[in-house]
Amino acid sequence: MAIRIASFALRIAGLLALILGVLFWTGNAAQLIPLHMLLGFVVVLALWVIGIGQALARGGSPAIAVLAVIVGLLLPIIGLLQNSWLLNSSHWIVQVLHLLVAVLAIGIGEMGTARYRRASAAAS
């Protein structure tokens, strides 16, 4: 049940955070940065619940759990520190890196959820 809720939270928060990120890239909605950060932390927590939860389930993958923890640590580090990296015309590199890690987080969460569902179905 926790993985289902975390999967739903990951999808919704991830989608909204991506939409807000695109708005920021286009120079709009800067006042919504705190909401974007909150959504990012929801993504990270959901990713960790999915990664660790599926690893503890029968047939789970420790590799997905480790990836979930690592990517979950990288995402807020890059997000929180990106305004102090490459401040000149190369700042877009950090923004793209943040976007790629965010998409990776969502993908790993989806992999973990699928792994958990397959394991649960096989156990039934």
Side-chain angles (χ1 to χ4, degrees):
M1 182 66 148
I3 291 186
R4 275 177 58 192
I5 294 169
S7 175
F8 180 76
L10 177 72
R11 288 176 181 164
I12 297 300
L15 176 63
L16 292 174
L18 288 172
I19 290 169
L20 286 174
V22 170
L23 284 174
F24 302 148
W25 247 354
T26 61
N28 298 303
Q31 69 276 12
L32 295 177
I33 289 175
L35 176 60
H36 176 77
M37 292 170 65
L38 175 64
L39 291 168
F41 284 116
V42 170
V43 166
V44 169
L45 291 175
L47 176 63
W48 286 345
V49 167
I50 293 167
I52 294 169
Q54 67 81 35
L56 297 175
R58 176 179 277 170
S61 170
I64 292 175
V66 169
L67 278 174
V69 170
I70 292 170
V71 170
L73 287 171
L74 281 175
L75 187 58
I77 289 170
I78 294 169
L80 291 171
L81 297 177
Q82 71 177 325
N83 285 335
S84 60
W85 294 341
L86 297 175
L87 299 179
N88 55 14
S89 61
S90 300
H91 183 66
W92 67 270
I93 296 169
V94 179
Q95 292 173 317
V96 169
L97 177 64
H98 184 55
L99 174 64
L100 291 175
V101 173
V103 170
L104 181 63
I106 294 168
I108 291 169
E110 290 296 322
M111 284 186 343
T113 300
R115 179 81 174 222
Y116 177 79
R117 287 185 179 152
R118 281 193 308 271
S120 295
S124 311

